[in-house]
Amino acid sequence: MPSINALAETAALVGDPARAAMLAGLMDGRARTAGELAALAGITPQTASGHLARLTEAGLLAMERQGRHRYHRLASAGIARMLEGIMAVAEGAAPAARQARSFGPRDAAMRAARTCYDHLAGQLAVALADAMVARGVLELGPDGGAVTAAGEAFFESLGIPMAHPGRGRIFCRPCLDWSERRPHVAGVLGAALCTRCLELGWVRRRAGGRTLLVTPEGARGFREAFGVEVPAAP
Amino acid sequence: MPSINALAETAALVGDPARAAMLAGLMDGRARTAGELAALAGITPQTASGHLARLTEAGLLAMERQGRHRYHRLASAGIARMLEGIMAVAEGAAPAARQARSFGPRDAAMRAARTCYDHLAGQLAVALADAMVARGVLELGPDGGAVTAAGEAFFESLGIPMAHPGRGRIFCRPCLDWSERRPHVAGVLGAALCTRCLELGWVRRRAGGRTLLVTPEGARGFREAFGVEVPAAP
DNA sequence: CGCATGCTTCGGCCTGGCGCGAAGGATCAG
DNA sequence: CTGATCCTTCGCGCCAGGCCGAAGCATGCG
């Protein structure tokens, strides 16, 4: 059974603390240099180099050279989804052992809002998902999500175009938020929503991480469009 | 960042060939004894025992004692989903290196039809998914799926009740078939479809594995209900 | 009651692979 | 060209952890 070996090999790649830290550091979908990733994982550059080579060889990472820098990023959204899946199990399945620990990121700002590869996560994302469901623009179940007929107008008005491949409403999925333990919106719709919020200046990235800060315009926008009260970040 | 350590620990649990083999052997959702799993992984019972204890401790497996046997199974469908996610990356992301190998299971019967935790997989499952999309009873996108209005009647007529929580149609998700490399139907709908096919006697399990055999009634049923030609297994 | 079976625990061997230091390209600035 | 970065390759020490043999508990059967 060749696939079982492949399963173990892939999991083992993620199963090293240093590599896991580097992969997690790339979960925001952006590319970073080997040096940055080494620092992030708490190892020396030469050790990181070896890890990065193996991850790239296995197809988990993609590398791009730019002058004397080499930028590494996740090879595809599928990789990020796999990592999300493992994280969900890691945080959720562990029984008594780590019940004492607090879940998810310690940083309050990161709990409030962050990116999860290409979509929004954190309290903000969960609140938006709840609001969209409550307003009937979105349906969300444990295994899928879809924009309603009414929802198409809503998203168009936000500046998110509704492409129509097939019948076109199936491009949304739930993603278990690891600080909130409740689903938020991922998939194509989640990515578009995240992009649009950045475009509108409703949120901006905090330097060097996945954390997002809600701007004053964002606080107003989320209140007016979604009926959600989000405090602007200081 | 505690969660990164949890990520690595969980992945490392899957990242051992013996443990991966045992987990993969439980992907059909049924429970097996430690001895069976040991044989499956090609290790002695005492080694398997240690692995099983760790997997159970970590919350990946659940154990149930029955007389002098102890039955182990995946702790939840979420675990199976995580494993599917890793498999998809393992089979899909590997570049040139393993391009020569044939994908997926060698066994022809297993490629034809099998279970994937709680739903159908293999050529049969992909054909059914295609047929359902073509007949307009199902919409399927990369990130989600939904039963159409017309589809509700179709599934009711098959004997699959359409529960209506919320608006009720969001309980379906695509799952990348690892032998076919195309999506089939998973989620609540996929599980119900699989259960119903077993109930109707359209497929039956081959002893001791995930492989499914299509019965003569199944061949007729799939042709009449789905317009899909599936040869009955010998 | 004693034996067989299934599983676990214990102790010791051994290998895989992680990590670092040192040295060897590659790229850019001046 | 020379030096400064950034990254990689090489070689070695080291240790976690996988594996098994042997022995120890449980359960069920005759």
Side-chain angles (χ1 to χ4, degrees):
Chain A
M1 201 80 90
S3 62
I4 287 182
N5 249 342
L7 168 65
E9 282 168 25
T10 304
L13 285 173
V14 186
D16 174 81
R19 285 192 296 261
M22 294 193 283
L23 289 168
L26 294 170
M27 284 272 295
D28 62 359
R30 286 183 295 178
R32 302 193 198 290
T33 66
E36 288 176 306
L37 291 169
L40 210 148
I43 54 179
T44 60
Q46 64 268 31
T47 302
S49 175
H51 286 311
L52 291 169
R54 289 182 58 184
L55 290 169
T56 305
E57 162 74 14
L60 298 196
L61 295 186
M63 197 257 283
E64 201 173 337
R65 31 204 338 155
Q66 225 172 79
R68 67 180 148 185
H69 294 274
R70 293 176 183 204
Y71 285 95
H72 300 264
R73 58 177 175 76
L74 297 188
S76 74
I79 312 294
R81 194 179 302 187
M82 172 189 75
L83 294 172
E84 284 172 18
I86 302 175
M87 277 184 174
V89 168
E91 296 283 344
R98 88 182 86 238
Q99 217 49 284
R101 297 197 202 168
S102 67
F103 283 118
R106 285 212 188 78
D107 182 354
M110 195 171 187
R111 275 199 310 275
R114 62 181 181 278
T115 55
C116 178
Y117 193 65
D118 59 2
H119 55 271
L120 300 173
Q123 289 156 358
L124 170 65
V126 171
L128 293 182
D130 287 344
M132 289 187 285
V133 169
R135 302 197 148 202
V137 300
L138 190 70
E139 297 173 17
L140 209 55
D143 287 309
V147 174
T148 63
E152 301 200 5
F154 173 80
F155 289 108
E156 294 278 0
S157 78
L158 269 180
I160 297 173
M162 296 280 104
H164 283 261
R167 283 191 45 185
R169 308 189 343 264
I170 307 302
F171 61 140
C172 161
R173 67 184 178 88
C175 171
L176 191 62
D177 192 291
W178 49 261
S179 57
E180 300 304 302
R181 312 294 300 283
R182 301 198 32 232
H184 58 241
V185 179
V188 177
L189 180 65
L193 187 60
C194 179
T195 304
R196 189 62 182 146
C197 286
L198 285 163
E199 275 176 13
L200 290 170
W202 287 7
V203 295
R204 59 190 171 75
R205 295 181 186 277
R206 189 164 69 179
R210 304 165 55 186
T211 302
L212 293 175
L213 303 175
V214 176
T215 63
E217 305 83 65
R220 197 175 64 239
F222 290 126
R223 183 171 57 242
E224 290 174 2
F226 293 86
V228 167
E229 285 298 333
V230 205
Chain B
M1 199 82 88
S3 62
I4 287 180
N5 247 341
L7 168 65
E9 283 167 25
T10 304
L13 284 174
V14 186
D16 174 80
R19 285 192 297 261
M22 293 193 282
L23 289 168
L26 294 169
M27 284 274 291
D28 63 358
R30 285 184 297 176
R32 302 193 198 290
T33 66
E36 287 176 310
L37 291 169
L40 210 148
I43 54 181
T44 59
Q46 63 268 35
T47 303
S49 174
H51 286 312
L52 291 169
R54 288 183 59 184
L55 290 169
T56 305
E57 161 75 12
L60 297 197
L61 295 185
M63 195 258 285
E64 200 174 339
R65 35 203 336 155
Q66 225 173 78
R68 67 179 150 186
H69 294 273
R70 291 175 184 205
Y71 285 95
H72 300 265
R73 59 177 176 76
L74 297 188
S76 74
I79 311 294
R81 194 180 302 190
M82 173 189 75
L83 294 172
E84 284 172 17
I86 302 175
M87 276 185 175
V89 167
E91 295 284 342
R98 92 182 81 237
Q99 220 47 286
R101 295 196 204 168
S102 68
F103 283 118
R106 285 210 189 79
D107 182 353
M110 194 171 187
R111 276 200 308 277
R114 63 181 180 277
T115 55
C116 178
Y117 192 66
D118 58 2
H119 56 272
L120 299 173
Q123 289 157 358
L124 171 64
V126 171
L128 292 182
D130 286 346
M132 289 188 285
V133 169
R135 303 198 148 202
V137 300
L138 190 70
E139 296 175 17
L140 209 55
D143 287 308
V147 175
T148 63
E152 301 199 6
F154 173 79
F155 288 107
E156 295 278 1
S157 78
L158 270 180
I160 298 173
M162 297 280 103
H164 282 262
R167 281 192 45 186
R169 305 188 347 263
I170 306 303
F171 61 141
C172 162
R173 69 184 177 84
C175 172
L176 190 63
D177 192 289
W178 54 266
S179 58
E180 300 304 302
R181 313 293 301 282
R182 302 196 33 231
H184 59 240
V185 178
V188 177
L189 180 64
L193 187 60
C194 178
T195 304
R196 189 62 182 144
C197 287
L198 285 163
E199 275 176 11
L200 290 171
W202 288 6
V203 295
R204 58 190 172 77
R205 294 181 187 278
R206 190 165 68 180
R210 303 166 56 187
T211 302
L212 292 175
L213 302 176
V214 175
T215 63
E217 305 84 62
R220 196 176 61 240
F222 290 127
R223 182 172 56 243
E224 289 174 3
F226 293 87
V228 168
E229 285 298 333
V230 207

